[in-house]
Amino acid sequence: MKLFLFGIGGTGARVLRSLTMLLAAGAKAPADLTIIPILLDMDMQNGDTERALREVELYRAIRRVAYKDTAASQGAQTERRTFFATPLQPLGTLQAENAQEKIGDSVLPKLTDHEGTFEEFLSVSNMDDIDRELLKLLYDNSAKPTSAELKLNLSVGFKGNPNIGSVVFNALEDSAVYKYFTGAFNDQTDRIFLISSIFGGTGSAGFPQLVKLLQHPSQKIQIRNAKKGAVTVMPYFALEENSQSAIDQNRFLSKTKAALSYYQTQVNLDALYYIGDRPGSKLYPNVEGGAKQTNNAHVVEMLAAASILDFANKPEGEFGDAKRYFEYGLKRNDRTLDLPHFYDQTYNGLLEPLIRFAYATKFFTDFVPGNLGEAFAKNLSLSQNLRTNTFYTSLDNFMTHHFKNWLGEMAQNDRAFYPFDMQNDFNAMVRSKRIETGFFDKGISEKFLRDQAGKIENSLQSSFPEPEKRFMQLLIEVAEKCREKLGPLNRQLSDAAV
Amino acid sequence: MFVTLYELWLGQNNDPIYADEIFTPVGLITLLFSLALAALFYLILGRWKAIFYRTSHWIIALVIAGIFGYAYALWYALDATDAEETDSYMQGFGGVNLLYALIYFFVFSLLLKRFSIFAKRTPF
């Protein structure tokens, strides 16, 4: 099954970032799932988008080498696929019928060739006087940075103005990327999912337009009949005061209310997920777009990404004729969340894999470099390859600079999600349970890891002759052993609220 | 075979007891001891846990093999010849047996290390 995932605007990119992390950790997803992420954004330089793209690229580079071509078991042992298991494939790499224009293999295909102001996009200079005057009634014609509408440079997105974005997205149907999508969408089991925010510019403009387009009678039947879902991210952060910025956070709630009432009647999807949060005390920089817009990861984005997997995991028969709405609830409304704050579905589907991946990350980044003289490392030629081989450098980059940062950003945000202390030793890494040690049992010690790595690597040699594939299996199994050592977690919340 | 190996270095002793009763059992026991030591290092400790498997540990095992080779040769020769104390031939025999113990352990290391887990790359 292919899931065509449209991420619209900066929120789309941030949720895709979280999804990439969850998939890297092996979050529960159908075995045959391939995700086709398509970011739709005019702001091609956006920092959030650029970071998400880099992470998807790293994910793909790792996955390409980590597993055998076919999922079937070869040799004595069956290949385990947990970390980086689900393929992420850019739209441009799919076969597309009748696609006249190639769109490249980026997850962020160009939405339009237009570079310039909204006024130029509308070709105002070619309009007759009456149309021009009408436009001036509808849009602010000043060039002031805080209120520019017609003079707004579209290369940084719509700066929180869905009234501009909706006009631009109206032309989506004629874009090369949409034509390619329609050509590539051929299977009845394929699904479509949309990510957008409801309080910004690009997402709130693009989402209803895209839904309308996907349901239009002129669309091919496979697209019209496909199961469609969406997550709408409502306000969850507050911005710093910036009188020079066109983004006015005081309008977030009013824009949300207006959009929700529109969605109620105009948006017909099989599953619609809503998520939001009361903004915390950590203020985000008020940046209109561009490379400087790199917001810290937030647990709301992770849970929005979880909705994508929830949608993908739903069996075909679960979708009825009626629209289904989903919201998210925690066990308790604390400002710092830990593993016990989540109910079983999230815990089993997302958090258990995250625990394992956190152990794998710590093993790879903290343990392996100091143990290159061990037999398992020598058998894998790690001392030669760790800093030169693309697979290992990509894995190191992903884990050290992206996964750990992602966890760190969520831990420092408000509301915080702080389940792991990656700076601490293995026994204290999972904050909700410290592994008890004694005279005979040192928990997850260096010796324990050396034992496990040595034995596991030795057992994998015949089935996985290629070192990179063997190393991925080693990571999966070492993480599993660490998880076993951790033992059952107490998932009852303690009385003291944080 | 052992008689040849020892007389290659030591020459023949006037007392035929060395060729008849000492060289072969000492050579055989030294060989078996080195094999047992290598098996203990690579197949038992080297597969059990990551405790005794590094090159430094291997050198300790090598030294043990050498000490055994020297001490066992002297003890056996003293016992077999009923001598009160060692002579230069006996000392030389101990030294040569030490050398063979080292060689046996090294060769068995090369043969057995592939079957180890933690000491697969020990000593190289």
Side-chain angles (χ1 to χ4, degrees):
Chain A
M1 171 179 70
K2 289 197 288 293
L3 178 70
F4 290 81
L5 179 68
F6 289 93
I8 311 171
T11 305
R14 287 194 294 278
V15 174
L16 176 61
R17 182 187 184 207
S18 284
L19 178 69
T20 308
M21 297 301 157
L22 294 180
L23 293 176
K28 188 181 164 223
D32 64 340
L33 177 68
T34 298
I35 294 180
I36 318 294
I38 307 162
L39 289 181
L40 299 178
D41 203 338
M42 291 292 285
D43 185 359
M44 303 291 277
Q45 309 301 321
N46 186 287
D48 285 330
T49 308
E50 199 268 335
R51 191 169 50 182
L53 290 179
R54 230 179 318 140
E55 285 161 0
V56 170
E57 272 313 302
L58 284 172
Y59 182 104
R60 296 185 66 225
I62 295 162
R63 194 184 180 283
R64 233 185 334 258
V65 183
Y67 296 111
K68 294 168 181 170
D69 289 339
T70 52
S73 63
Q74 294 170 11
Q77 274 175 292
T78 305
E79 185 178 61
R80 292 183 65 184
R81 294 188 175 201
T82 54
F83 303 151
F84 302 93
T86 302
L88 287 174
Q89 198 174 346
L91 178 64
T93 60
L94 298 178
Q95 293 286 333
E97 293 168 2
N98 307 321
Q100 292 169 351
E101 205 178 319
K102 287 275 172 201
I103 58 165
D105 62 357
S106 172
V107 169
L108 178 68
K110 225 172 175 184
L111 205 52
T112 163
D113 288 330
H114 174 77
E115 286 177 3
T117 62
F118 183 47
E119 190 176 46
E120 288 161 352
F121 179 82
L122 295 173
S123 305
V124 173
S125 56
N126 298 331
M127 290 179 177
D128 56 35
D129 287 346
I130 294 174
D131 290 344
R132 205 177 302 156
E133 291 306 317
L134 177 66
L135 266 182
K136 284 180 189 171
L137 279 176
L138 295 172
Y139 294 100
D140 191 322
N141 193 29
S142 75
K144 276 198 299 184
T146 50
S147 57
E149 287 189 334
L150 282 175
K151 297 276 191 302
L152 180 75
N153 190 327
L154 297 182
S155 65
V156 289
F158 309 123
K159 292 187 182 177
N161 295 301
N163 54 332
I164 299 172
S166 58
V167 175
V168 176
F169 271 106
N170 216 19
L172 182 66
E173 189 175 12
D174 300 322
S175 67
V177 52
Y178 191 80
K179 284 179 181 163
Y180 202 93
F181 158 72
T182 55
F185 198 103
N186 290 314
D187 199 308
Q188 287 182 346
T189 62
D190 290 351
R191 297 180 184 181
I192 299 169
F193 198 88
L194 288 71
I195 316 161
S196 63
S197 74
I198 202 167
F199 57 102
T202 308
S204 48
F207 172 60
Q209 292 284 22
L210 187 54
V211 171
K212 209 163 71 178
L213 185 56
L214 292 168
Q215 291 169 335
H216 197 271
S218 65
Q219 294 298 313
K220 64 201 268 189
I221 189 134
Q222 290 96 329
I223 292 178
R224 284 206 320 269
N225 289 346
K227 297 297 172 212
K228 301 182 194 76
V231 59
T232 294
V233 182
M234 297 185 288
Y236 63 99
F237 59 80
L239 299 173
E240 291 169 355
E241 281 301 319
N242 181 358
S243 58
Q244 298 301 306
S245 173
I247 299 173
D248 179 7
Q249 63 177 321
N250 296 319
R251 289 164 59 204
F252 279 0
L253 286 178
S254 54
K255 280 158 70 177
T256 301
K257 280 171 69 177
L260 283 175
S261 62
Y262 178 78
Y263 291 3
Q264 192 175 8
T265 54
Q266 299 298 316
V267 172
N268 284 301
L269 295 169
D270 298 290
L272 189 49
Y273 298 80
Y274 287 109
I275 192 162
D277 195 10
R278 197 183 68 200
S281 58
K282 288 269 166 66
L283 302 180
Y284 284 25
N286 191 334
V287 179
E288 290 175 348
K292 286 183 182 167
Q293 189 181 342
T294 48
N295 294 347
N296 282 345
H298 193 288
V299 66
V300 161
E301 293 152 13
M302 185 186 84
L303 296 172
S307 71
I308 301 164
L309 297 175
D310 183 73
F311 176 74
N313 281 317
K314 284 198 188 305
E316 196 75 12
E318 205 172 301
F319 297 101
D321 291 335
K323 288 192 274 185
R324 296 189 69 187
Y325 299 97
F326 299 91
E327 290 183 307
Y328 196 85
L330 294 163
K331 282 188 188 171
R332 195 167 69 196
N333 184 21
D334 291 338
R335 294 312 295 178
T336 298
L337 306 180
D338 200 346
L339 301 173
H341 282 88
F342 297 87
Y343 287 103
D344 285 354
Q345 191 180 347
T346 307
Y347 180 80
N348 295 326
L350 304 184
L351 303 183
E352 275 286 351
L354 271 182
I355 295 172
R356 285 168 174 79
F357 195 62
Y359 277 128
T361 297
K362 201 160 173 60
F363 173 79
F364 183 60
T365 59
D366 295 7
F367 173 80
V368 168
N371 286 277
L372 295 176
E374 296 297 316
F376 82 89
K378 285 183 176 171
N379 294 341
L380 293 161
S381 306
L382 289 182
S383 55
Q384 297 94 308
N385 291 335
L386 207 58
R387 301 285 167 243
T388 52
N389 179 306
T390 313
F391 170 76
Y392 294 108
T393 54
S394 299
L395 192 60
D396 184 47
N397 194 354
F398 189 92
M399 288 177 158
T400 308
H401 301 298
H402 295 282
F403 181 68
K404 280 186 178 178
N405 286 2
W406 178 72
L407 287 176
E409 289 166 23
M410 283 198 295
Q412 286 165 19
N413 221 325
D414 185 19
R415 162 180 331 252
F417 174 51
Y418 188 20
F420 310 119
D421 186 350
M422 300 299 284
Q423 304 301 322
N424 226 323
D425 63 34
F426 278 89
N427 290 330
M429 189 195 80
V430 175
R431 291 181 64 245
S432 53
K433 184 182 179 186
R434 189 185 171 87
I435 299 173
E436 294 302 326
T437 57
F439 185 75
F440 293 107
D441 187 356
K442 303 290 179 204
I444 307 175
S445 60
E446 288 258 322
K447 196 186 131 315
F448 172 84
L449 293 170
R450 276 197 288 269
D451 277 355
Q452 296 304 331
K455 286 178 181 168
I456 293 167
E457 194 277 336
N458 185 64
S459 71
L460 294 167
Q461 280 177 9
S462 57
S463 301
F464 299 90
E466 286 180 64
E468 293 87 355
K469 291 174 177 50
R470 192 156 79 240
F471 187 76
M472 180 53 73
Q473 296 299 308
L474 173 70
L475 270 186
I476 291 168
E477 293 197 25
V478 165
E480 188 67 41
K481 295 290 178 190
C482 291
R483 179 65 190 89
E484 282 171 18
K485 201 79 182 166
L486 179 67
L489 287 176
N490 179 7
R491 296 193 39 232
Q492 295 298 314
L493 281 166
S494 59
D495 290 339
V498 186
Chain B
M1 182 187 80
F2 289 111
V3 175
T4 315
L5 285 175
Y6 289 112
E7 289 187 345
L8 189 71
W9 298 92
L10 298 165
Q12 267 190 338
N13 193 286
N14 293 333
D15 187 348
I17 195 168
Y18 276 96
D20 295 344
E21 295 179 24
I22 297 175
F23 288 153
T24 300
V26 168
L28 193 63
I29 292 295
T30 304
L31 183 82
L32 291 176
F33 181 82
S34 296
L35 174 63
L37 193 64
L40 176 72
F41 183 80
Y42 286 103
L43 306 184
I44 298 175
L45 295 175
R47 293 184 67 86
W48 177 50
K49 280 184 175 176
I51 293 175
F52 197 82
Y53 64 102
R54 296 179 193 272
T55 302
S56 56
H57 303 141
W58 182 82
I59 290 169
I60 292 170
L62 187 73
V63 169
I64 290 170
I67 290 170
F68 175 84
Y70 182 76
Y72 184 70
L74 284 190
W75 174 80
Y76 197 94
L78 277 170
D79 189 53
T81 58
D82 290 328
E84 290 289 312
E85 51 190 44
T86 59
D87 56 26
S88 62
Y89 191 88
M90 215 179 274
Q91 295 279 358
F93 173 53
V96 170
N97 201 48
L98 180 152
L99 186 70
Y100 279 127
L102 300 183
I103 292 169
Y104 297 151
F105 184 74
F106 183 78
V107 171
F108 286 132
S109 293
L110 297 185
L111 293 175
L112 296 181
K113 71 180 190 137
R114 78 189 63 178
F115 302 109
S116 179
I117 292 175
F118 304 108
K120 201 182 274 290
R121 301 295 184 123
T122 308
F124 47 81

